[in-house]
Amino acid sequence: MKLLLITAVAEFEKEVKSILKKAQVKTYSYKEVTGFRDASDDAIESNWFGTEMNENESILFYAFVAKENVDIVCNSVKEFNVKQETLSHIHIAVLNIEKTN
């Protein structure tokens, strides 16, 4: 069993749910969160927000997933991100679970 953490801008909620469904992840939780990026080290001309501190509406998904389904989720996220023309991507982290009850 693995714990998946998935973050994305709120606009990608439908796509994340579709990826989880494709991987047969039938139980998960998600929550609206505020994404934050400190762009103070970026050059002003490359920062299209025009400020150093950026916040946006984001989502956080978390799910306990069978090991055999993790690769399906990761590959689907990778495929989705490659097709994106925007700077936003879906981000995923996989954590090992030591014990469960």
Side-chain angles (χ1 to χ4, degrees), residues 8-73:
V9 292
E11 290 80 10
F12 293 162
E13 179 180 339
K14 180 180 171 186
E15 288 82 359
V16 173
K17 288 179 178 178
S18 176
I19 288 169
L20 293 171
K21 183 175 183 176
K22 177 181 174 183
Q24 297 182 6
V25 178
K26 298 180 183 194
T27 305
Y28 56 85
S29 299
Y30 71 99
K31 180 173 181 49
E32 294 178 4
V33 296
T34 301
F36 175 80
R37 180 174 184 269
D38 180 356
S40 60
D41 291 337
D42 292 349
I44 293 293
E45 59 273 2
S46 66
N47 180 359
W48 28 300
F49 292 104
T51 65
E52 293 180 351
M53 305 299 179
N54 302 308
E55 293 183 357
N56 56 34
E57 295 177 14
S58 299
I59 49 174
L60 169 67
F61 284 80
Y62 42 101
F64 293 100
V65 178
K67 292 177 187 178
E68 55 271 11
N69 296 48
V70 170
D71 287 338
I72 297 169
V73 175

Side-chain angles (χ1 to χ4, degrees), residues 3 6-7 10 12 24 47 55 58 73-76 80 82 85 89:
L3 173 62
I6 302 171
T7 62
F12 293 162
Q24 297 182 6
N47 180 359
E55 293 183 357
S58 299
V73 175
C74 290
N75 290 335
S76 295
F80 176 84
V82 166
E85 295 179 8
H89 289 103

